[in-house]
Amino acid sequence: DVKVTQSSRYLVKRTGEKVFLECVQDMDHENMFWYRQDPGLGLRLIYFSYDVKMKEKGDIPEGYSVSREKKERFSLILESASTNQTSMYLCASSLPGYGYTFGSGTRLTVV
Amino acid sequence: QKEVEQNSGPLSVPEGAIASLNCTYSDRGSQSFFWYRQYSGKSPELIMSIYSNGDKEDGRFTAQLNKASQYVSLLIRDSQPSDSATYLCASLSSGSARQLTFGSGTQLTVLP
């Protein structure tokens, strides 16, 4: 089975901190995605990548950046964390034409 | 804006009944459809995929696809309390065939 591993299950950060969320997949998937999920707002796409060093903005990229230096790793960066970035962050990966496999999620609280 | 619409629910069914979850999509070019189950506080888990018109069965789950009506459904037979979760419908975009469009989810409660 494909495994998508997110580095932290729970994270508490202070306002203004730079935050790194790591995601690693072990099945050579080309596509990787970062979503946030908030009650009543569903899944919202932050950034995605279809190849190493490639990145594209999703629907809500403001305040975030990403890095994909290796095929298996896709990192989400909160440049200066704010309280409105408190959320569940979900990483996913896939092959073209197939559904996503999600990581277990990181629940981030910014205080 | 390509969309996937689901009844948000909540949907309640008694244990042992059939739960029927419905989904419509706007992108006529979509070819692939997926159902995810998400327990509270957990990440979505892929439970069914369907690519052609008709029914696809996997255990107690049946996915149905009608491309002419742009309609996808998930039936859960002999519903169990452990099936209580939010179910997300998703379609694969006809353009890149890489990105999923998700519905907002239907919350299902199976009553013992």
Side-chain angles (χ1 to χ4, degrees):
Chain A
D1 281 349
V2 177
K3 193 168 182 182
V4 179
T5 303
Q6 293 186 232
S7 52
S8 304
R9 188 75 181 93
Y10 298 95
L11 212 51
V12 180
K13 295 292 182 181
R14 295 194 178 277
T15 302
E17 276 193 80
K18 191 168 186 176
V19 181
F20 294 86
L21 302 181
E22 304 288 344
C23 176
V24 178
Q25 49 93 5
D26 66 358
M27 279 297 289
D28 205 34
H29 281 182
E30 297 175 19
N31 309 325
M32 296 190 76
F33 306 86
W34 274 106
Y35 287 84
R36 64 177 285 179
Q37 188 175 37
D38 303 286
L41 296 179
L43 287 164
R44 292 185 290 168
L45 181 63
I46 305 171
Y47 267 95
F48 59 96
S49 169
Y50 296 159
D51 199 355
V52 176
K53 307 249 186 220
M54 177 266 185
K55 59 186 177 184
E56 291 285 345
K57 293 179 180 179
D59 300 319
I60 53 163
E62 296 77 20
Y64 303 94
S65 62
V66 290
S67 172
R68 194 168 181 195
E69 296 295 319
K70 293 184 178 180
K71 190 174 186 178
E72 67 270 20
R73 185 181 297 270
F74 192 36
S75 303
L76 179 69
I77 303 152
L78 285 66
E79 298 291 343
S80 177
S82 64
T83 55
N84 63 12
Q85 292 178 311
T86 291
S87 186
M88 168 72 99
Y89 288 88
L90 292 163
C91 175
S93 72
S94 71
L95 288 169
Y98 291 89
Y100 297 170
T101 299
F102 283 90
S104 56
T106 296
R107 188 166 294 280
L108 173 68
T109 303
V110 182
V111 297
Chain B
Q1 182 83 5
K2 296 171 181 173
E3 294 182 344
V4 173
E5 301 281 347
Q6 294 181 252
N7 290 332
S8 59
L11 173 66
S12 294
V13 299
E15 185 174 355
I18 295 175
S20 177
L21 305 165
N22 304 314
C23 172
T24 59
Y25 60 94
S26 64
D27 181 3
R28 188 169 285 280
S30 292
Q31 298 294 317
S32 307
F33 303 88
F34 307 90
W35 283 98
Y36 286 83
R37 177 178 61 201
Q38 186 174 23
Y39 293 115
S40 180
K42 303 294 186 183
S43 62
E45 173 193 12
L46 180 65
I47 57 171
M48 290 288 286
S49 57
I50 187 165
Y51 303 96
S52 54
N53 276 331
D55 294 359
K56 179 182 177 182
E57 189 174 314
D58 183 1
R60 296 186 296 111
F61 297 97
T62 300
Q64 300 174 317
L65 174 59
N66 184 325
K67 290 184 179 179
S69 301
Q70 296 178 239
Y71 179 88
V72 189
S73 65
L74 179 71
L75 301 178
I76 307 174
R77 290 183 302 280
D78 188 24
S79 295
Q80 302 297 309
S82 58
D83 295 325
S84 298
T86 296
Y87 289 81
L88 300 169
C89 173
S91 70
L92 191 62
S93 67
S94 57
S96 68
R98 292 176 181 262
Q99 193 173 126
L100 295 183
T101 300
F102 287 90
S104 56
T106 298
Q107 186 179 343
L108 171 67
T109 301
V110 180
L111 303 169

